[in-house]
Amino acid sequence: MRAAARAEVPLLLVPSRGLGERALRAVGAWKAASVLPDSAPVSTAVRSRILPAARPNSFGRTAVSEMFGADYTVSVEFYDLLQAETDRRLAKRRFAEAARRARHGILDVGAGTGIVTETLLTASAAPIHAVEPAAPMRAALLSRLAGLGADQRARVTLHPESIERAGLEEVADLAVASNVIACLDPATRRSAWQAVSRALLPGGLLLFDPPPTELPTGRERVGRLGPVRVGPDIYGADITREPHAGIVRMVFTYHVERDGRVLRRQRETFKLWPASASEIGAELEAQGLQVVHAPSADLLAARRAAR
């Protein structure tokens, strides 16, 4: 994507695997001051409704096809085209160094279209456990793996279920969860911490971007993805957020234009659950994960207690 287009999204710290880094950072998440000191562990103080496909209406305009919580059924078509470049740079900055130090295995929670998975494969010689329950994202992930060498594919185990159902036990010395924690409701989030703790070896490290800490005050425009040209067509997306019943609703409206005319407009809505620093710290500690210094100001980190 062109630099001018990228600059339109405000780079506030911290989707989910499907929303993408740029969108989640714009939701509003933990400030740099929330990153914990590099000293000792920290205590606990600190589904779908589908409307008809887009079609011309009687007024000659394009109707909007909309999905609500539909496992990225709409977003997967546009995700890599509009977000892969930014997500790949962030994945390298956030996770590559930790991946280089991994020796036994790496867990990728919410692997999505595989951007982070590919970064981990490139940075490390360790086997990768890629967990992705959403079938549309998994299809994109497998397409990405198909383009890699056979030696890299041989190091990936794909788990087509949630981390809570994957049943992994002490398989990794590094776990990453990129763009996923915010999209878990509190009960699911707590179950995910438990599953990640079991999957980590003693002393293993977890890196993740945390959820937003508060609700927006009203409906707000977050920014725009694109434009990106494919042949004669221009692809883009507008993103808004709004509070709703104690959660954040993120709405992605995708559009495809040709010669100044909208060919398609599709929308997908996601839910994000805010959580405070003290809530996250308490949840992690309850599962034997001690919050430690993170390598990046927009991440949090925790280690499974050593035996």
Side-chain angles (χ1 to χ4, degrees):
M1 283 175 272
R2 293 189 289 270
R6 290 195 297 270
E8 290 181 14
V9 179
L11 296 181
L12 307 178
L13 295 182
V14 111
S16 130
R17 116 198 114 231
L19 301 188
E21 291 284 353
R22 290 171 61 190
L24 277 178
R25 290 198 309 277
V27 175
W30 299 33
K31 299 179 177 62
S34 298
V35 178
L36 300 157
D38 191 11
S39 53
V42 179
S43 72
T44 57
V46 293
R47 107 167 99 121
S48 69
R49 178 165 67 86
I50 306 176
L51 301 182
R55 62 190 182 278
N57 61 24
S58 58
F59 298 100
R61 291 174 295 186
T62 303
V64 178
S65 168
E66 185 160 6
M67 292 278 192
F68 296 90
D71 290 335
Y72 314 101
T73 304
V74 171
S75 296
V76 69
E77 176 184 352
F78 305 94
Y79 190 92
D80 278 5
L81 185 66
L82 298 179
Q83 304 191 68
E85 180 183 332
T86 300
D87 282 10
R88 185 175 292 108
R89 283 199 309 272
L90 285 165
K92 289 178 180 178
R93 175 175 62 79
R94 288 174 163 183
F95 306 126
E97 182 57 36
R100 279 190 282 272
R101 294 196 294 268
R103 295 292 178 266
H104 301 285
I106 302 175
L107 173 63
D108 185 3
V109 181
T113 66
I115 295 168
V116 173
T117 306
E118 185 175 8
T119 298
L120 299 172
L121 280 169
T122 301
S124 174
I128 310 291
H129 291 270
V131 176
E132 181 47 63
M137 301 299 267
R138 225 169 35 243
L141 167 60
L142 284 168
S143 294
R144 175 168 272 106
L145 293 178
L148 302 180
D151 56 337
Q152 287 187 307
R153 289 199 304 273
R155 288 194 285 123
V156 180
T157 302
L158 179 56
H159 301 272
E161 62 265 306
S162 67
I163 183 61
E164 310 94 271
R165 295 178 178 273
L168 297 172
E169 300 282 345
E170 297 192 355
V171 297
D173 43 3
L174 173 66
V176 303
S178 181
N179 303 336
V180 63
I181 299 303
C183 289
L184 306 180
D185 64 79
T188 303
R189 190 177 64 228
R190 290 190 291 269
S191 296
W193 299 141
Q194 184 180 50
V196 169
S197 183
R198 289 198 306 265
L200 282 172
L201 290 157
L205 177 67
L206 165 64
L207 299 175
F208 65 98
D209 44 0
T213 58
E214 58 188 21
L215 296 172
T217 57
R219 187 176 184 183
E220 302 170 349
R221 180 181 176 184
V222 172
R224 175 172 292 177
L225 301 175
V228 175
R229 180 179 289 277
V230 179
D233 299 335
I234 303 295
Y235 286 72
D238 295 301
I239 311 167
T240 61
R241 65 173 183 169
E242 60 188 9
H244 177 76
I247 62 173
V248 181
R249 281 168 43 97
M250 291 284 289
V251 182
F252 285 67
T253 302
Y254 300 97
H255 45 83
V256 184
E257 301 178 11
R258 182 182 299 168
D259 298 327
R261 180 173 61 91
V262 176
L263 300 179
R264 285 193 291 144
R265 184 176 286 116
Q266 293 178 274
R267 182 178 297 145
E268 192 160 22
T269 299
F270 299 90
K271 298 177 181 178
L272 307 184
W273 278 262
S276 68
S278 59
E279 285 179 280
I280 295 297
E283 291 172 1
L284 290 167
E285 190 168 276
Q287 301 304 328
L289 295 167
Q290 298 177 315
V291 179
V292 295
H293 175 72
S296 176
D298 51 355
L299 291 178
L300 285 184
R303 284 194 182 278
R304 180 180 169 183
R307 290 194 181 119

